[in-house]
Amino acid sequence: MGQAGVRPVPLLALKFLIAAACLGSSAALNNGLALTPQMGYAPWNAFGVNVNETLIKETADRLISTGLAELGYTYLAVDDAWAEKERVDGRMVGNKQTFPSGMKALGDYIHDKGLLFGIYSDAGTHTCDGYPGSIGFEKEDAEDFASWGVDYLKYDNCYCNPEDPVEGRYAAMRDALNATGRPILYAMVSRGMRPLSGAALLQVGNSWRTTADIAPNWDAMLRCLDNTVGLSRFAGPGHWNDPDMLEVGVGMSLPEQRSHFALWALLKAPLIIGADLRRIDDEALGILKARELVAVNQDGLGVAGDLLWKEGPLEVYGAPISGGARAVILFNRHTPFPLASKITVNWHQLGYPAEFKATVRDLYAEKDLGVYQEHFTATVDPHDVCAVLITPHIALPYFDKWRPWHRSTASTENAANIEIA
Ligand code: GLA
């Protein structure tokens, strides 16, 4: 027998590893939150460390006045740089210059608006920008966060001892949060971890970052997307893959922003707005308010979508939606402009009999495109998407059981899907 090469981990072994990782942890996260992906706002993408309480309060007001809160964007989180550089008597405190009223008062303001309050810390000695981290202070910090009315913790992974297993550091804060008795959504920034570490974290947090930081440009957005493709099987109610926060309204062309938002919605990514809501333009706001894409993201079946087919720069993504429908994104990554391409999704790629009739609805335009059989084709501009809901006229009970990672279609089988328009 020849020497064994590197083989993919068989599913059974993977299940065993997940089970072992779960048994090894002292307790499961028990907050009952994020049954659908969290939605909200964090200032990092637009403001970096330049945050203050006025900005957060104005953002709270804008979340309400724009109608975003009503659509579900309810977590309003401060990101890094909210704290004093040093602990005071061993406690983390709000920065006296930028958050003079203190974090409890900020939480009260946010709650009075009917929103939820998010904060940020780190599983190391310092945050990524050098503010105090929580390692060794998990109990104190979790108690303080709870006493300020915190509803959401983004927990980063800078300034860590590489010898300390990440699962342990993240489990320590999970246990401290659990012990407060306050349900606090736990968003882990376990950057760059691949599926097996992600699997070990399944019971630890409500979401984990699948990538390094996003930036407001096409390449960075694609990097975050590509690093999340193939991981849909690890996501589900209470625990989501997080390809990082939204750059809609921060940078990129309009088609690129449309693509970014639709893909994040379908991947069941947390939808955390990062734009300056006081100055956002109407087009970007319209994308964030695309209610039928938000509905895909928040669908009760809670199955993350994934890549179904790819041929060069043309891709098809799909997700099952409760009641037997599918959300499908036809995505054209072509450059240079202007090279529109026809992209097709075939019913058999979605687990439907070819002869079934289905209504296809454009999720951005919010209008039905017609009734189709066997397949649907759209001409998609470069860097843009066609995002549709495909609803068969007869929904068989097993349609809800279809999963994007059990597809039978090999990616090369459908070369006929491509035509340059
Ligand atoms: C890391 C995170 C970012 C942001 C910064 C803050 O880079 O990935 O999302 O929170 O830290 O310093």
Side-chain angles (χ1 to χ4, degrees), residues 40-42 56-57 59-60 63 74-78 110 115-118:
Y41 180 91
I56 301 296
K57 286 179 176 176
T59 302
L63 280 169
T74 47
Y75 285 103
L76 173 50
V78 296
I110 290 171
L115 301 171
L116 296 160
F117 177 30

Side-chain angles (χ1 to χ4, degrees), residues 176-410:
L177 293 173
N178 276 349
T180 68
R182 183 176 176 87
I184 297 179
L185 194 151
Y186 188 27
M188 302 181 293
V189 188
S190 42
R191 274 166 298 151
M193 289 207 252
R194 299 308 299 160
L196 279 180
S197 340
L201 286 166
L202 273 175
Q203 297 278 310
V204 180
N206 296 114
S207 59
W208 58 86
R209 277 272 295 278
T210 51
T211 70
D213 288 9
I214 196 168
N217 64 68
W218 173 249
D219 287 347
M221 190 274 281
L222 289 185
R223 169 176 50 73
C224 292
L225 170 68
D226 293 343
N227 268 322
T228 309
V229 158
L231 302 183
S232 58
R233 70 200 71 192
F234 298 110
H239 51 94
W240 305 104
N241 296 323
D242 178 5
D244 206 358
M245 301 177 288
L246 295 168
E247 296 285 9
V248 176
V250 187
M252 295 193 279
S253 70
L254 213 51
E256 290 169 353
Q257 294 182 59
R258 284 162 47 84
S259 302
H260 173 35
F261 186 75
L263 288 158
W264 262 232
L266 177 129
L267 294 172
K268 300 271 192 292
L271 297 180
I272 305 295
I273 299 168
D276 182 349
L277 286 185
R278 302 161 314 170
R279 289 185 181 83
I280 190 165
D281 60 58
D282 287 348
E283 283 97 344
L285 191 57
I287 292 171
L288 295 170
K289 291 180 72 175
R291 61 177 63 241
E292 297 193 5
L293 280 153
V294 169
V296 164
N297 182 260
Q298 298 293 303
D299 179 66
L301 195 61
V303 178
D306 216 325
L307 180 67
L308 302 183
W309 175 90
K310 176 177 178 65
E311 188 75 46
L314 305 184
E315 296 181 338
V316 176
Y317 291 80
I321 298 295
S322 45
R326 308 281 179 255
V328 170
I329 295 180
L330 310 176
F331 183 31
N332 181 358
R333 297 165 69 141
H334 253 310
T335 44
F337 296 81
L339 198 62
S341 298
K342 282 188 178 168
I343 310 177
T344 294
V345 59
N346 292 297
W347 277 198
H348 68 86
Q349 292 173 300
L350 304 174
Y352 295 152
E355 66 278 12
F356 268 39
K357 287 188 176 143
T359 297
V360 177
R361 183 173 173 80
D362 185 320
L363 292 168
Y364 271 124
E366 299 181 9
K367 68 166 206 252
D368 289 350
L369 299 176
V371 175
Y372 293 79
Q373 229 171 334
E374 198 177 332
H375 66 267
F376 168 72
T377 301
T379 302
V380 186
D381 283 336
H383 289 201
D384 208 346
V385 283
C386 174
V388 293
L389 186 72
I390 300 182
T391 310
H393 292 183
I394 301 169
L396 301 180
Y398 72 83
F399 283 179
D400 267 358
K401 305 244 168 357
W402 174 87
R403 296 292 175 263
W405 56 90
H406 287 155
R407 62 193 186 273
S408 56
T409 316

Side-chain angles (χ1 to χ4, degrees), residues 44-45 49 79-80 120 127-129 154 156 158 189 191 209 213 244-245:
W44 181 257
N45 285 355
V49 295
D79 206 280
D80 204 351
Y120 167 98
T127 69
C128 301
D129 268 286
K154 173 174 171 181
D156 217 326
C158 283
V189 188
R191 274 166 298 151
R209 277 272 295 278
D213 288 9
D244 206 358
M245 301 177 288

